[in-house]
Amino acid sequence: MELMPRFCETDALGHINNTVIPVWFEAARDPVFEIVNPGQDLSKWNMIIAGFTIAFNAPTFYGKAVLVKTHISRIGNSSFEITQSCWQQGRQTAEAKTTMVHYDYQTEKSQPLSDEVKQQLSAYTG
């Protein structure tokens, strides 16, 4: 996903605030959400975040396009890991790993991913 940082996303030091980049990463996960929950119907939502880590490698600046790369780095029985990175002018500025669990909110338990979903997710492995 390519985006142009907005002026309101900057901080007093002139670069993108560290609270903004996780929001960009979430937006870039939409294609993955569509695989697990087609139509992204919130009344049928079936995912939960089990963990999220982020490393800031360099400042990201206003006024220069940012490329958010997303891929699936692990597929388990009921969970999978998404690895994402921000790139600006050929330089990686941040990287994150998010563990998603296929989850049933009624029973409050994880559910196995179907073979079809696993196959679709595997198309995003990198």
Side-chain angles (χ1 to χ4, degrees):
M1 175 181 88
E2 187 170 290
L3 56 91
M4 185 60 72
R6 300 175 301 171
F7 179 77
C8 67
E9 295 170 323
T10 61
D11 62 19
L13 299 175
H15 42 71
I16 302 305
N17 188 283
N18 62 9
T19 63
V20 171
I21 292 174
V23 175
W24 292 350
F25 285 152
E26 182 179 16
R29 290 194 294 265
D30 270 355
V32 175
F33 294 162
E34 187 64 32
I35 291 170
V36 182
N37 186 331
Q40 298 187 46
D41 183 346
L42 294 181
S43 69
K44 298 176 184 173
W45 198 254
N46 57 358
M47 287 174 280
I48 194 166
I49 292 178
F52 177 80
T53 60
I54 189 165
F56 298 100
N57 305 319
T60 305
F61 295 98
Y62 169 74
K64 297 177 179 115
V66 173
L67 180 64
V68 178
K69 297 180 181 181
T70 301
H71 72 273
I72 305 297
S73 48
R74 183 188 60 78
I75 302 171
N77 183 46
S78 61
S79 66
F80 55 96
E81 182 179 74
I82 304 169
T83 298
Q84 296 177 285
S85 54
C86 277
W87 293 82
Q88 191 174 55
Q89 295 188 306
R91 185 176 187 189
Q92 186 184 62
T93 63
E95 182 176 31
K97 291 186 185 286
T98 305
T99 302
M100 302 293 302
V101 176
H102 188 231
Y103 191 76
D104 183 330
Y105 283 87
Q106 298 288 323
T107 63
E108 298 182 344
K109 293 182 181 182
S110 63
Q111 299 293 309
L113 294 162
S114 71
D115 289 339
E116 180 183 348
V117 166
K118 287 181 182 181
Q119 182 180 14
Q120 289 179 42
L121 289 172
S122 69
Y124 285 92
T125 58

